[in-house]
Amino acid sequence: MTTAPGTALDVDALTVRYPGRVALDNVTFTAGWGELVAVVGPNGAGKSTLFKAIAGLVPITGHVTLAGDRCHHGANKACAAYLPQRADVDLSFPLTVGQLVLAGRRPFLAPWRRPRPVDRHAVADALEEVDLADRTRDPIGALSGGQLQRALVARALAQQAEVLLLDEALAGVDLPNTTDLLTLFDRLARTGRTILVATHDLALCRRHFDRCLALNTALIADGPPQDALDADSLDATYGTAPPPRPSRSNLVAAAG
Amino acid sequence: MWRWLTDPYGSEFMRNALAIAIIVGVLCPVVGVWVVLRRLAYLGDAMSHATLAGVAVAYLIGASIVAGALAAGLVMGGVIGLVSARRRLADDTVIGIAETILFAVGVVIISRSDRVGVDLSHYLFGQITTVNDTDLGLNAALAVIALGTIAVLHRDLLAVTFDPLHARQVGIAEPRLRFVVLVLVSISVVVSLQTVGLLMSVAMLVTPAATARLLTHRIATMTAVAVAVGLASAVGGLTFSYHLASPPGATIALTAAGLFLMAFAATIPARVRHDQPNPPVPTTRLDAASIPASGSKEYPMTDTAPTASDRVPRRRQDHPVELHPHRTARQAHRRHRERVRRDRHRRRPGARRRRRDLRDEQRVHLLHRSR
C-alpha cells in the first residue's frame, strides 16, 4: 500500500485487544503534515491506547503507517513520540531538564558515547523552541505542569519525531500555560509536525482545534469540532447507550 | 587520632579486610543508586538470602563459593522474571516465595553437611577477616565488570527507569536492561557476602544510596555522595569494629545507618520547605473570559461557532509579564552562566563544522519526510 505524500499518519483498521476486552475497535483515519487534531472521549475510551498503538507500544491488528513507512514494528518507531500523562511522570526523579531532553537523542547516539556537539545543539535548540532554554540545568521537579509538557515536547523534538501524541497534555494546566501550550502546538504544526492531543475539555476543542476525533472504543466522529461534537455524536461518545456498530469481538468480550 | 586509624591495619588479614571493604564501599552504593531509584530494595534483600543456596551447593560439590552465590542470584532473577510475567501475582509476592525456598534449601544443606569449617553464621553475618588474596582478586574483577557495565549503560538505565515507555520507543531493549540490573544486584550481593554477610548485605546496597537520595537532586551527584557514604561506612565500620571488638559486618551496617539518620535529620527542614507550594506567579496577560472554564461538563453543549476574536493571542509580545522572574540571585547567576557557556560553545573553533553536521542530519531527516 502506498500512501499519498501529504499523509503523515495513516491508521487503517486499527484494533487493540487487552485481555478480556477490546480497547480499540477498527479505527481508521489519516492525518496530514502539520495537522493539529484533538481526540476526545470518556475515560477508558481508548485515547491513550490509540496513542500507544500509533507509537508502537502495544500489539495491534491493522496497520499504522507513519511518514509513508509502515514503521510500526520497524526500526523507525521513534518518528512518532508518545508524551505520557503528567500523572505517569515521577517528578521527584533526580533528572535535569537537559538530561530529559537528551534521552530523545538515543536513536542517534549510542548509549556508551558521550553526547557530541550535534547532540548538545539539538537539545539546546529543542529547549529553545519550547522556551525552556534557561531551565536546562534545573531538576524536572522544579517545572510546573505546563513547563513539564513543554519539556516533554522538547524531548520529542530532539528525537526528531514527526507525529506528536500528547496524552492529556492540557489537564491540570492553568490558563496562561494552556495558552502557551496551544501557541506552541500551532507553531510546531506550522513547521510540519502532526500533533494529536487527547483532552477532556470540549470547549477548548471547539475554540482552538480545526479537527476533532470523537472516540469511544470505535471512532464515532471525525471532522471540524462543530460537526464532530454535535449532539448526536456526543450522545454516542459519552452516552450510556452501548457504542454503535457493536462488532463480533465486542460481543464475544461481553459474553466472556 | 592517626594511630587510632592506622593501628587496626598492621596485619595482613586486616589489610585484606580493608581492601574488600573499599571494594564493597564503592560497588554497592553505585549499584544501590539504581536499586533505590527502581524501587528494588526488597529484591536486593531477597537476592542476598537466596545466595545461601548457591553457597551451600558450591560447598557440597567443591566449587567456588563466589560462583555458587552468583548462580543462585541469577536463578532467583530468572524465576522472578518467568513467574511475574504471568500477571496474576505481584512481583514482591513471587520474590518472597523464591527467596524463602532458596534460603531454606541453603540452611538444610549446610546444617546436614559434615565438612569441617562450614559454619552457617559465617555466611549470615560475614567473615571479613578471613578474606584471602584469591577472594580479593575475584571480587575486584566482579566489581570492575559491574561498574564498567553501569558506566556504559547509565544513560539507558536512566531512560528506562524514568520513562520505560519512551525508552522502548527510542529503541532501548527494556527487558534486557532489567535483566542487567538483576545481574548487577546479584554481583553486589555476592561481593558484600564476605564483608557484611548475607543478612545485612542489603544495608550496603540501599542505605548509602538512600542517604544520597535525601541530599541530592542529580544522578551524578547522587552517585558520588552514595560512594562517599558507602566508603565512610565500610572503612569506618571496620575501624570501629577493631577498636570496639564488635562484629565487623554489623558495625558497618550500623555506621551506614548512622550516616543515613544524620542526613535524614539534617534534611527535615528542607523537606518541609520543599513541600510547600510555590508562591503564585503573576498572570496579567490574558483576560479569563477568552477561554471558558475547563472541564465544563454540561452537554450537549449549545455553543456558537468560534469567531476569530475568540482565538487566543498568538504572538509573544502579547505576553508582557515574564512568567518566571529569577527568584534568587543564585538562580539568575546560574542562568547567566548557562547562556554564556552556550554562546561560547557556538564561537569555538569548529563551530561551523558542528553546525554543518547538524544541518546535514536535518537534511537527511527532511529527505526521509519527503519520501
Side-chain angles (χ1 to χ4, degrees):
Chain A
M1 185 182 79
T2 53
T3 316
T7 314
L9 169 66
D10 186 341
V11 175
D12 184 23
L14 175 67
T15 299
V16 176
R17 293 185 182 82
Y18 289 141
R21 70 191 181 91
V22 176
L24 271 186
D25 185 21
N26 202 17
V27 171
T28 300
F29 70 96
T30 61
W33 296 111
E35 242 187 305
L36 180 57
V37 184
V39 180
V40 300
N43 289 327
K47 301 189 294 291
S48 296
T49 304
L50 173 66
F51 286 0
K52 285 175 187 171
I54 293 171
L57 295 169
V58 291
I60 63 167
T61 56
H63 297 292
V64 173
T65 310
L66 282 166
D69 280 337
R70 284 265 179 88
C71 61
H72 180 73
H73 294 294
N76 200 14
K77 281 193 290 196
C79 69
Y82 172 77
L83 278 65
Q85 303 185 18
R86 193 185 175 203
D88 293 340
V89 177
D90 176 10
L91 283 173
S92 70
F93 201 85
L95 192 71
T96 64
V97 176
Q99 284 174 316
L100 172 74
V101 177
L102 186 63
R105 296 296 301 169
R106 177 58 169 73
F108 315 101
L109 179 67
W112 53 86
R113 290 193 61 177
R114 290 171 59 82
R116 300 155 295 175
V118 68
D119 300 306
R120 284 198 293 267
H121 276 302
V123 169
D125 290 352
L127 281 168
E128 195 95 50
E129 203 161 347
V130 301
D131 293 330
L132 283 179
D134 54 347
R135 307 297 297 269
T136 313
R137 297 169 73 82
D138 288 0
I140 53 165
L143 299 181
S144 70
Q147 288 169 336
L148 177 71
Q149 282 298 336
R150 299 215 301 265
L152 291 171
V153 167
R155 182 177 71 180
L157 296 181
Q159 186 182 324
Q160 304 200 337
E162 286 303 336
V163 178
L164 271 59
L165 309 158
L166 292 100
D167 205 349
E168 305 282 352
L170 303 170
V173 175
D174 64 8
L175 196 60
N177 274 307
T178 303
T179 318
D180 267 1
L181 277 175
L182 289 169
T183 316
L184 174 65
F185 295 163
D186 271 340
R187 209 162 64 212
L188 293 177
R190 275 203 297 275
T191 61
R193 275 110 175 177
T194 304
I195 302 174
L196 273 67
V197 186
T199 178
H200 282 293
D201 194 336
L202 298 181
L204 204 68
C205 276
R206 284 164 207 265
R207 284 172 194 278
H208 299 291
F209 288 85
D210 300 325
R211 185 175 167 196
C212 192
L213 301 178
L215 194 70
N216 189 0
T217 307
L219 187 60
I220 310 268
D222 174 7
Q226 60 267 31
D227 302 336
L229 298 181
D230 63 2
D232 285 347
S233 75
L234 281 177
D235 247 339
T237 312
Y238 286 92
T240 48
R245 294 184 293 145
S247 70
R248 190 172 162 276
S249 49
N250 253 343
L251 294 174
V252 170
Chain B
M1 179 66 187
W2 183 247
R3 290 294 304 275
W4 189 85
L5 283 175
T6 53
D7 249 8
Y9 304 108
S11 56
E12 174 74 26
F13 73 88
M14 277 305 281
R15 276 198 293 273
N16 276 349
L18 179 66
I20 190 102
I22 289 173
I23 293 175
V24 169
V26 174
L27 172 65
C28 286
V30 173
V31 177
V33 164
W34 299 102
V35 170
V36 166
L37 289 179
R38 295 182 66 84
R39 297 159 202 238
L40 295 176
Y42 183 51
L43 177 80
D45 190 43
M47 279 268 189
S48 63
H49 285 66
T51 52
L52 191 65
V55 169
V57 171
Y59 244 112
L60 217 57
I61 61 176
S64 154
I65 293 180
V66 171
L70 206 54
L74 294 184
V75 167
M76 174 90 183
V79 167
I80 294 165
L82 279 180
V83 178
S84 63
R86 311 180 179 283
R87 278 267 52 128
R88 185 151 303 172
L89 293 173
D91 275 7
D92 53 349
T93 313
V94 181
I95 293 172
I97 295 170
E99 168 195 0
T100 41
I101 292 174
L102 287 171
F103 189 64
V105 166
V107 171
V108 167
I109 294 178
I110 287 189
S111 61
R112 287 185 59 83
S113 164
D114 47 1
R115 287 179 61 159
V116 188
V118 182
D119 185 355
L120 191 60
S121 69
H122 270 186
Y123 299 104
L124 296 185
F125 303 114
Q127 43 179 3
I128 191 167
T129 49
T130 64
V131 174
N132 57 34
D133 288 347
T134 324
D135 294 338
L136 211 54
L138 203 54
N139 284 328
L142 282 176
V144 166
I145 291 172
L147 292 175
T149 309
I150 291 181
V152 166
L153 291 178
H154 76 277
R155 215 157 350 105
D156 277 6
L157 281 170
L158 199 60
V160 161
T161 308
F162 175 67
D163 189 348
L165 280 182
H166 179 260
R168 271 167 58 196
Q169 259 183 288
V170 293
I172 299 174
E174 192 206 351
R176 210 180 303 162
L177 221 54
R178 224 176 318 157
F179 182 71
V180 168
V181 173
L182 283 180
V183 174
L184 290 174
V185 172
S186 184
I187 288 178
S188 25
V189 164
V190 168
V191 171
S192 56
L193 195 63
Q194 290 185 302
T195 326
V196 287
L198 58 86
L199 285 185
M200 279 169 292
S201 64
V202 75
M204 282 305 289
L205 205 54
V206 173
T207 316
T211 312
R213 183 77 190 82
L214 288 179
L215 299 173
T216 61
H217 296 288
R218 308 240 171 108
I219 193 86
T221 43
M222 181 176 165
T223 308
V225 171
V227 167
V229 172
L231 274 175
S233 349
V235 176
L238 191 62
T239 314
F240 279 134
S241 82
Y242 176 87
H243 289 291
L244 302 174
S246 56
T251 315
I252 289 171
L254 280 177
T255 312
L259 289 173
F260 172 79
L261 287 177
M262 275 160 62
F264 189 79
T267 51
I268 285 173
R271 259 177 290 119
V272 170
R273 225 181 311 127
H274 191 71
D275 289 343
Q276 282 167 357
N278 289 331
V281 173
T283 56
T284 57
R285 38 220 261 168
L286 186 74
D287 57 328
S290 76
I291 300 181
S294 69
S296 44
K297 287 282 187 287
E298 69 274 15
Y299 105 92
M301 297 183 91
T302 48
D303 205 345
T304 50
T307 63
S309 61
D310 277 346
R311 288 235 160 189
V312 173
R314 291 265 156 87
R315 284 164 298 135
R316 286 303 292 174
Q317 53 263 47
D318 287 330
H319 305 194
V321 175
E322 194 175 353
L323 195 55
H324 285 275
H326 301 144
R327 296 241 171 81
T328 65
R330 197 168 153 217
Q331 259 175 331
H333 176 70
R334 204 163 55 176
R335 278 166 207 181
H336 170 70
R337 293 299 313 164
E338 172 69 25
R339 281 200 200 99
V340 167
R341 197 184 60 78
R342 232 189 26 239
D343 292 349
R344 190 176 50 203
H345 187 64
R346 289 192 170 156
R347 275 199 302 273
R348 259 176 29 207
R352 189 175 290 172
R353 181 178 51 78
R354 284 192 292 275
R355 308 216 103 188
R356 197 193 54 213
D357 284 349
L358 179 65
R359 226 176 21 244
D360 287 351
E361 195 177 319
Q362 284 168 343
R363 202 173 290 146
V364 168
H365 167 66
L366 283 173
L367 209 69
H368 169 73
R369 173 195 288 186
S370 64
R371 192 151 46 85

